[in-house]
Amino acid sequence: MMKKLIAGNWKMNGSRTQARALIADIVNNLSQEEAIVEKADILVCPPALYISDVRHALRGYPKIKIGAQDCSSEENGAHTGDLSAQMLEDSECAYVILGHSERRQNHGETNVIVAQKVARALKADLIPIVCIGETQEERDAGRAQEIVLSQLQGSLPDLESFHEVVIAYEPVWAIGTGKTASPQDAQEMHTLIRENLKDLVPKPEKTRILYGGSMKPENAKEILACKNIDGGLIGGASLKADQFLSIARAA
Ligand code: 13P
C-alpha cells in the first residue's frame, strides 16, 4: 500500500507570526509523536512569502515537506508578480499545488494552462498536486464524472517517462463548506480516476489520489480508509496543528 500523503493548504491565511507559530506547533507535536511521520508523509503549503520562514523552522526536521500553492506556466521572464517553478524548487519546495478550483475560478485557469504548469513543475523537479473536481451544479446535473475526467485528461501534459504526480479530487461544493463527499461517493470517484490514469501516466498504481473538501478530524478516518484514497488535501483544518495532526494520525 502507498504511504498516505497528508497535505495542508494554508491558502491566503495568517501573518508571518502566525505561520511561524503554526509550523512550530506542528514540529513540536511531531517530535513527540514520531510514529506519525513514519506512517504518513506530511506536507505544508504556506503562502509563498512565508515559505522561507517555514523552511527555517524545519531545519533539522526534513521529514515535513514544503509545497507552494501555484507556479507560473512560463519558465522565466516578463511575468510581473508570478513565481517560476524553478524559484520554488530553489526555495526548497518539494511540491506545488496546481489547478486548485480557487485558481480555476478566480484566475481563469483552464486545463491547458494547468497542464503547462504541471510540465514546468516536473521540469523543475517539483511534484505537482493537480486538483480536479466538479461544482454542485455539475453534480446536480449528473455530470460529475464527465467533468472530473475531462479535467484529469486535460490537466496533465504528455508524460512519457515516470514522474511523481499527485492528483487531488476536491469537489468544489465540499471546499470550505463543511459538506464532504460521502466515503462511498469519494471512493467511487477515486476508483474512476485510478482507472483512467492508466491512459495518462506511466505508473498509475504509484500515483497518489488525495481527497480534499472539508476534511477534519471527525471524518478523516472513514475517508482515508477507502480504497484508492491515498491521502488528504486539507484547507481550514490545516491551520490548527492539533486538527491537522489528528487527520495525519487517522492516516
Ligand atoms: P477545506 O478543507 O477548507 O474545505 O479546503 C479544502 C481545500 O481546498 C484544500 O485545497
Side-chain angles (χ1 to χ4, degrees):
M1 213 172 78
M2 264 182 291
K3 202 170 173 189
K4 296 216 194 281
L5 173 63
I6 301 300
N9 176 6
W10 295 4
K11 306 193 181 183
M12 194 177 73
N13 287 298
S15 60
R16 168 161 282 126
T17 307
Q18 285 170 327
R20 285 179 176 166
L22 176 53
I23 195 65
D25 220 0
I26 292 174
V27 170
N28 276 342
N29 279 284
L30 281 179
S31 40
Q32 287 163 32
E33 202 180 337
E34 294 270 347
I36 297 185
V37 274
E38 301 308 327
K39 301 224 167 85
D41 288 332
I42 309 283
L43 169 69
V44 291
C45 303
L49 282 172
Y50 303 150
I51 286 172
S52 64
D53 299 87
V54 168
R55 190 180 68 224
H56 284 295
L58 292 178
R59 282 273 140 81
Y61 213 81
K63 283 184 175 156
I64 305 178
K65 302 292 178 204
I66 307 172
Q69 300 174 13
D70 179 42
C71 74
S72 172
S73 59
E74 301 295 331
E75 190 164 13
N76 53 38
H79 304 288
T80 304
D82 287 348
L83 297 174
S84 74
Q86 196 57 57
M87 290 168 184
L88 299 174
E89 197 275 335
D90 201 23
S91 304
E92 295 174 34
C93 286
Y95 291 78
V96 60
I97 299 170
L98 294 173
H100 191 281
S101 62
E102 286 148 19
R103 295 210 58 89
R104 290 178 188 263
Q105 279 174 359
N106 305 339
H107 298 269
E109 286 190 12
T110 59
N111 291 336
V112 172
I113 295 172
V114 177
Q116 286 166 351
K117 292 185 173 198
V118 173
R120 287 282 171 221
L122 291 172
K123 211 168 157 218
D125 286 330
L126 295 173
I127 302 169
I129 301 180
V130 186
C131 303
I132 54 179
E134 81 287 357
T135 61
Q136 183 70 61
E137 212 176 8
E138 289 160 346
R139 175 157 281 263
D140 291 345
R143 299 181 59 219
Q145 297 195 347
E146 169 205 334
I147 296 290
V148 165
L149 288 185
S150 78
Q151 288 184 347
L152 179 71
Q153 285 152 1
S155 304
L156 290 174
D158 285 342
L159 295 167
E160 273 148 27
S161 57
F162 175 72
H163 290 281
E164 189 173 351
V165 172
V166 178
I167 307 296
Y169 169 57
E170 299 205 302
V172 178
W173 47 269
I175 295 177
T177 56
K179 286 194 248 174
T180 38
S182 68
Q184 294 72 20
D185 283 350
Q187 178 165 315
E188 194 183 332
M189 194 63 94
H190 280 235
T191 302
L192 184 76
I193 293 170
R194 174 88 60 216
E195 281 163 8
N196 281 270
L197 277 173
K198 287 194 183 87
D199 302 325
L200 300 169
V201 300
K203 293 185 182 164
E205 73 287 354
K206 291 213 163 153
T207 302
R208 287 194 276 207
I209 309 172
L210 313 183
Y211 171 80
S214 297
M215 213 169 174
K216 36 187 186 262
E218 302 83 68
N219 57 30
K221 203 165 190 165
E222 207 183 356
I223 294 172
L224 291 169
C226 293
K227 192 163 178 265
N228 286 318
I229 300 190
D230 310 307
L233 184 55
I234 299 121
S238 75
L239 299 172
K240 301 240 166 67
D242 59 337
Q243 292 193 16
F244 182 56
L245 294 177
S246 114
I247 296 173
R249 212 171 282 126

